[in-house]
Amino acid sequence: MFLKRLVLVNFRNLEDLSWNPHRGINIITGDNAQGKTNLLEAINFCTSGASFRTSREREMVRQGADFLKINSLMEKNGSQYEISVEMAKDSKLEFKLNGLKQVKNKLFQPGMSVSFTPSDLDLVRGNPAGRRRWMDAELCCFEARYIYNMQNYNRVLTQKNNLLREKIKTSGYNEILETFNTQLADYGSRIIHARLSQLGRLSSMLKNVYRDITSGKEDIYFKYFSSIPLVDKLNLNAIKKSFLDTMMEKNSEEKFKRQSLVGPHRDDLNFFVNNMDARHFCSRGQQRSIVLALKISVINVYRLEYGEYPVLLMDDVLLELDESRQAGMTGLFELPLQVFITSTALPENFPADYRAVKITNGQLT
Ligand SMILES: Nc1ncnc2c1ncn2[C@@H]1O[C@H](COP(=O)(O)OP(=O)(O)O)[C@@H](O)[C@H]1O
Ligand SMILES: [Mg+2]
């Protein structure tokens, strides 16, 4: 996927911007609050239909303006197409493909861009919820019906937790709980199954990428920790049965604690470098290398899935990676991959050719 042209009108502080980015690495420099992240957000929007900053789309309209326009020319697997997005005052976003109105869900496929932002840098040492979000949003997004299963799982989970918080005397309590458990086992086992199969696919890729980044000095592996026993990890029915059995076992404890205690919403993914738990034993730099290796591996997974690399968006993370880690990206930068990197300063000894633009007060110079 390549972005060939981008025209923005009233996109946050980017009042009127027109740009033909380079096919390879684009470094966007500028002082703080000039519009670097806004520019990446606009690219993210026209490759995914979503913002990595907000779900309140109206925020993207420039303050004081009454409409927003994004027009982009993309190239995918050799063909070009134009995506435009418009939002007039008080009305919804409108999407067009080659000038014809199109519903958002038909226009965007998951995995057309990968973003790497400062909040990702905490993925390894941060809380389990962040790692689950990563698995859901980035690793499993293109698995058939994954998002559908997640939405349904979360809906039933909320209903079950509401019930557990109510008095046990509620009429039909046990029957309702059993129905919720059956539904949770159905959706939840599919979620766990999808996570495990995507992780299985990622595993050897991550090992190789991480070894490259660390010049062969360090080995990595990960483990999926589940709140239910997983004996036959690739068998959906076995996962479902184990999930149901565990909920039955924990039935009294769940009633006592008044919350749901098992399922994919309680699971975690942990990384081990040279056999040590990366959360506790790795330096900040090593933890960043793991995240970098994960991003590179995901890019490769998308390539296998779609036959083409996604666009890579790196917001303010370049200077957080020291020179040896930047050098570890050389292999990545040799791929036919379009990259957008924001940074307050140009990096020294950057390991590949790039084209730089500067943004000042919403204008490219
Ligand atoms: N809807 C909006 N209308 C006008 N300006 C906005 C809007 N949303 C954000 N901004 C402004 O855009 C500026 C640049 O933001 P950003 O792209 O995050 O800067 P940076 O270059 O540091 O990444 C900020 O000063 C912010 O106030
Ligand atoms: Mg920024």
Side-chain angles (χ1 to χ4, degrees):
M1 168 80 99
F2 296 94
L3 173 67
K4 303 194 73 169
R5 190 183 66 226
L6 182 68
V7 179
L8 301 173
V9 181
N10 295 331
F11 187 91
R12 296 196 185 268
N13 77 330
L14 310 170
E15 189 175 347
D16 181 12
L17 180 145
S18 177
W19 188 29
N20 297 324
H22 176 48
R23 233 179 139 75
I25 301 165
N26 296 275
I27 300 189
I28 303 150
T29 63
D31 292 339
N32 280 324
Q34 300 303 306
K36 301 184 295 296
T37 303
N38 294 347
L39 185 55
L40 285 203
E41 184 188 16
I43 299 171
N44 184 228
F45 204 86
C46 53
T47 50
S48 68
S51 157
F52 55 54
R53 270 189 162 173
T54 181
S55 53
R56 291 185 296 270
E57 287 151 347
R58 205 154 294 278
E59 275 177 20
M60 299 186 302
V61 182
R62 188 172 67 87
Q63 264 164 27
D66 56 11
F67 71 97
L68 147 83
K69 265 189 197 176
I70 306 174
N71 184 278
S72 63
L73 182 66
M74 319 288 304
E75 185 189 307
K76 197 164 102 189
N77 291 327
S79 357
Q80 290 194 8
Y81 58 97
E82 192 186 327
I83 288 186
S84 54
V85 188
E86 281 188 34
M87 183 152 71
K89 199 177 186 179
D90 303 328
S91 55
K92 284 190 169 169
L93 279 170
E94 198 176 276
F95 293 88
K96 282 187 185 156
L97 174 64
N98 296 329
L100 297 173
K101 258 198 206 177
Q102 179 67 279
V103 289
K104 184 168 132 180
N105 291 348
K106 291 213 172 134
L107 197 53
F108 300 102
Q109 256 177 320
M112 291 297 110
S113 57
V114 170
S115 36
F116 186 3
T117 68
S119 62
D120 290 319
L121 292 169
D122 285 330
L123 192 78
V124 174
R125 64 171 195 161
N127 56 29
R131 288 184 289 276
R132 286 193 294 267
R133 255 196 313 277
W134 174 76
M135 286 189 279
D136 297 337
E138 206 160 273
L139 185 69
C140 299
C141 58
F142 54 80
E143 275 262 345
R145 294 171 77 79
Y146 191 83
I147 294 169
Y148 169 87
N149 289 328
M150 276 301 296
Q151 285 168 342
N152 281 298
Y153 182 83
N154 288 331
R155 176 179 52 77
V156 181
L157 184 65
T158 307
Q159 291 172 327
K160 177 178 166 180
N161 280 331
N162 288 342
L163 180 73
L164 288 168
R165 273 194 290 272
E166 281 172 25
K167 294 234 161 48
I168 293 186
K169 283 180 217 137
T170 309
S171 77
Y173 181 96
N174 283 317
E175 291 74 23
I176 303 173
L177 191 58
E178 206 173 300
T179 310
F180 286 158
N181 282 350
T182 310
Q183 292 176 348
L184 286 177
D186 191 28
Y187 296 123
S189 56
R190 289 167 204 276
I191 293 168
I192 295 175
H193 183 260
R195 285 180 184 169
L196 292 172
S197 63
Q198 288 305 330
L199 285 168
R201 194 177 181 196
L202 190 80
S203 169
S204 60
M205 213 173 297
L206 182 73
K207 275 182 204 289
N208 291 335
V209 171
Y210 192 75
R211 210 171 290 136
D212 284 351
I213 290 180
T214 58
S215 314
K217 289 190 211 106
E218 295 174 16
D219 277 314
I220 191 168
Y221 64 89
F222 51 70
K223 266 192 199 161
Y224 185 82
F225 287 94
S226 184
S227 48
I228 63 170
L230 297 172
V231 185
D232 188 354
K233 294 187 174 183
L234 296 177
N235 182 332
L236 180 61
N237 285 330
I239 298 173
K240 189 170 164 181
K241 182 171 183 314
S242 174
F243 194 174
L244 268 174
D245 291 348
T246 316
M247 279 191 286
M248 284 218 295
E249 266 168 44
K250 299 262 179 186
N251 189 272
S252 331
E253 198 183 337
E254 287 193 334
K255 283 177 179 168
F256 178 72
K257 293 194 172 158
R258 296 183 165 203
Q259 56 172 314
S260 165
L261 299 173
V262 289
H265 66 290
R266 289 279 178 134
D267 293 354
D268 197 2
L269 176 72
N270 288 330
F271 299 91
F272 297 83
V273 169
N274 293 344
N275 285 322
M276 287 185 294
D277 187 334
R279 280 172 308 174
H280 309 300
F281 297 103
C282 280
S283 67
R284 282 288 273 153
Q286 281 172 309
Q287 292 175 346
R288 286 170 179 191
S289 296
I290 297 174
V291 180
L292 180 60
L294 278 176
K295 296 282 169 181
I296 297 174
S297 304
V298 161
I299 286 170
N300 285 310
V301 168
Y302 291 170
R303 160 79 210 286
L304 288 176
E305 194 67 26
Y306 297 120
E308 194 163 65
Y309 289 102
V311 167
L312 173 62
L313 307 170
M314 294 177 61
D315 190 27
D316 261 340
V317 288
L318 188 69
L319 300 181
E320 301 281 339
L321 302 168
D322 60 25
E323 266 182 34
S324 74
R325 287 185 181 85
Q326 289 180 19
M329 297 174 81
T330 314
L332 178 74
F333 293 150
E334 282 164 358
L335 301 173
L337 176 79
Q338 192 177 30
V339 188
F340 295 89
I341 299 173
T342 66
S343 178
T344 44
L346 278 176
E348 283 172 30
N349 305 320
F350 190 75
D353 289 338
Y354 61 84
R355 194 165 302 165
V357 286
K358 189 169 182 196
I359 190 158
T360 311
N361 199 14
Q363 305 273 334
L364 283 177
T365 48

